[in-house]
């Protein structure tokens, strides 16, 4: 039986559609955890959207993220035990990796190791997939390590592509997979804490 109440942190800097799906999934399942949503962008849409769902939000500077213990302190003081990157583009520093071994996960909108690495994000990924005339693409949910899009894979799901697909239609297919599977993986890992 669990005798503590682990909380979850989501790092994001974009529209936050995945963060919203995750939080809503936990609400639907009546899982009593608190979400902290952190962003390097003060005005990221994800902050407003998740605050409306009851999350505690905060933003931070590059200096605070890389050259202070502020973020790790904030997370540990708030009983965070699982860290989810959902549209967060900065490399995770060593002090954060060490504070949460095997407890930081990321979602990438392609089938890693293909189409990953620094600078491979958003529509750039889907454009590269279309240009290479891939027959399928998908999502990769993986543990985070000191390299971009590199840690051990937790789950991959694929979708088929047609010659008529554009980067925009690929993005739509991939997004559906993200919204369906990311909350389930987060919940599974949460249950294992
Ligand atoms: C997703 O496509 C995810 O795979 C990538 O960043 C995007 C975030 O989208 N890591 P959103 O902000 O959750 O809508």
């Amino acid at each position: 039986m669990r005798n503590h109440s682990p909380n979850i942190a989501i790092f994001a800097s974009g529209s936050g559609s995945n963060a919203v799906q995750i939080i809503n999934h936990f609400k639907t399942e009546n899982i009593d955890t608190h979400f902290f949503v952190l962003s390097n962008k003060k005005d990221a849409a994800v902050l407003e959207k998740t605050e409306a769902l009851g999350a505690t939000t905060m933003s931070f500077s590059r200096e605070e993220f890389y050259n202070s213990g502020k973020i790790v302190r904030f997370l540990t003081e708030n009983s965070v035990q699982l860290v989810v990157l959902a549209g967060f583009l900065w490399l995770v520093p060593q002090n954060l990796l060490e504070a949460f071994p095997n407890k930081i996960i990321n979602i990438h909108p392609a089938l890693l190791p293909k189409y990953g690495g620094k600078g491979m994000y958003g529509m750039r990924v889907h454009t590269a997939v279309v240009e290479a005339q891939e027959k399928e693409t998908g999502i990769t949910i993986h543990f985070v390590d000191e390299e971009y899009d590199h840690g051990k894979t937790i789950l991959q799901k694929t979708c088929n592509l047609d010659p008529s697909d554009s980067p925009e239609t690929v993005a739509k297919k991939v997004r559906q997979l993200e919204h369906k599977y990311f909350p389930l993986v987060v919940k599974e890992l949460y249950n294992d804490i």
Side-chain angles (χ1 to χ4, degrees), residues 145-185:
D145 65 11
E146 51 288 312
E147 291 179 44
Y148 282 107
D149 303 326
H150 182 261
K152 185 168 176 280
T153 296
I154 301 167
L155 179 81
Q156 285 193 313
K157 287 284 169 186
T158 61
C159 54
N160 292 326
L161 298 177
D162 308 316
S164 65
D165 270 314
S166 63
E168 288 73 22
T169 61
V170 174
K172 218 167 150 186
K173 289 180 179 179
V174 168
R175 186 133 300 207
Q176 278 176 359
L177 291 177
E178 292 187 335
H179 290 174
K180 180 166 177 195
Y181 291 105
F182 205 15
L184 300 180
V185 169

Side-chain angles (χ1 to χ4, degrees), residues 20-40:
V20 166
Q21 292 288 328
I22 292 166
I23 294 172
N24 278 335
H25 184 68
F26 274 67
K27 278 184 191 292
T28 310
E29 300 270 309
N30 283 316
I31 304 170
D32 184 25
T33 190
H34 190 74
F35 283 89
F36 292 86
V37 179
L38 294 89
S39 183
N40 56 301

Side-chain angles (χ1 to χ4, degrees), residues 12-85:
S13 55
S15 78
S17 70
N18 281 284
V20 166
Q21 292 288 328
I22 292 166
I23 294 172
N24 278 335
H25 184 68
F26 274 67
K27 278 184 191 292
T28 310
E29 300 270 309
N30 283 316
I31 304 170
D32 184 25
T33 190
H34 190 74
F35 283 89
F36 292 86
V37 179
L38 294 89
S39 183
N40 56 301
K41 290 192 179 163
K42 270 203 284 303
D43 54 355
V46 65
L47 296 178
E48 208 178 315
K49 284 185 194 167
T50 55
E51 223 169 276
L53 295 172
T56 302
T57 64
M58 76 172 264
S59 60
F60 52 82
S61 67
R62 185 172 280 277
E63 179 65 23
E64 286 170 327
F65 193 57
Y66 288 109
N67 297 322
S68 85
K70 188 179 165 179
I71 304 298
V72 169
R73 220 165 28 244
F74 178 81
L75 299 177
T76 46
E77 278 170 7
N78 285 294
S79 304
V80 166
Q81 292 194 30
L82 183 61
V83 176
V84 176
L85 311 188

Side-chain angles (χ1 to χ4, degrees), residues 135-150:
K135 302 262 184 304
E136 61 172 24
T137 187
I139 58 168
T140 305
I141 299 170
H142 64 94
F143 289 108
V144 170
D145 65 11
E146 51 288 312
E147 291 179 44
Y148 282 107
D149 303 326
H150 182 261

Side-chain angles (χ1 to χ4, degrees), residues 98-150:
E98 277 167 15
F100 296 94
N102 281 323
K103 292 282 182 272
I104 310 181
I105 66 168
N106 178 47
I107 187 163
H108 186 76
L111 298 171
L112 293 174
K114 285 177 149 186
Y115 308 106
K118 191 168 164 58
M120 263 297 182
Y121 60 86
M123 291 308 286
R124 293 186 191 188
V125 176
H126 307 310
T127 303
V129 165
V130 168
E131 277 172 3
Q133 302 180 343
E134 294 283 358
K135 302 262 184 304
E136 61 172 24
T137 187
I139 58 168
T140 305
I141 299 170
H142 64 94
F143 289 108
V144 170
D145 65 11
E146 51 288 312
E147 291 179 44
Y148 282 107
D149 303 326
H150 182 261

